[in-house]
Amino acid sequence: MLALLVTAHPDDECMFFGPTLQSLRCQAVLVQLLCLSTGNAEGRGAERSVELVRACEALQVDRRDINILDDLKFQPQDGQSCVWSPDEVAAAVDRQLQQHEYDLVLTFDDYGVSGHSNHCATFAGIRQLAKAARLAHTSKPHFLMLESVSLLRKFSGPLELLIPRSACHDIAGDFVTLTASSSAAIRSAMALHRTQWLWYRRLFILFSRYTYMNTFKPMLV
Ligand SMILES: [Zn+2]
């Protein structure tokens, strides 16, 4: 099985999707990463791209399975003030989808965990592709979106894992919970994003549920 994870910036994969990378690997799903920008808002895009590759390798994603776009359409990258065009996102992701036959596409939901405009645009663009796929009656890929939760749940760390839930571990199912095999490994990988390893992100990675679990819903269109 082949999955494509689409993120907006270097560090999204560690901050928000670490359990996904670990859990899918445990299920023998090959995950490729498409990162739509180098995160060049402060002119450190090249540095951040290198950090992304190192962090992914720490999470056992091969560098050949990483595609980082450096496209003027997504400039200034990683800037809240810059609104990305969902049409351009759709076109960029569609080009990636033409290269391989993916079973799954995973990305943010409409709030994008933090409400960051680039995360929201990433969702909006991929939603266009999901809609087109539905109209064309194509069975693959399945489009899944990462659930954004309330502030209280967001910073509940691993607590929700203690709550019994009718978790569905069939990754083609309706509601999917993916749990981290090692939250420590996710924190270590995030630390490789040296330009981003600031005190508030250190706290985030410690207390965020996204270090311990990811829940996905189908992208309904
Ligand atoms: Zn981001």
Side-chain angles (χ1 to χ4, degrees), residues 8-12 16 78 108 114 116 118-119:
H9 316 112
D11 80 8
D12 289 346
F16 311 121
D78 197 3
F108 296 105
S114 61
H116 194 300
N118 297 163
H119 299 179

Side-chain angles (χ1 to χ4, degrees), residues 140-151:
K140 286 184 184 176
H142 295 288
F143 291 87
L144 297 177
M145 53 186 189
L146 179 67
E147 184 188 22
S148 297
V149 296
S150 67
L151 210 58

Side-chain angles (χ1 to χ4, degrees), residues 149-209:
V149 296
S150 67
L151 210 58
L152 186 64
R153 291 178 65 199
K154 188 175 178 178
F155 292 107
S156 62
L159 286 181
E160 274 194 58
L161 290 173
L162 304 174
I163 302 170
R165 60 170 62 222
S166 55
C168 172
H169 293 284
D170 172 4
I171 54 178
D174 283 343
F175 192 85
V176 187
T177 300
L178 301 176
T179 54
S181 52
S182 169
S183 55
I186 293 171
R187 283 196 295 275
S188 299
M190 181 59 202
L192 295 171
H193 287 280
R194 291 185 183 281
T195 61
Q196 307 302 304
W197 198 222
L198 306 173
W199 67 269
Y200 54 89
R201 291 200 183 90
R202 293 178 190 223
L203 287 177
F204 181 95
I205 207 88
L206 204 57
F207 293 107
S208 158
R209 86 197 289 266

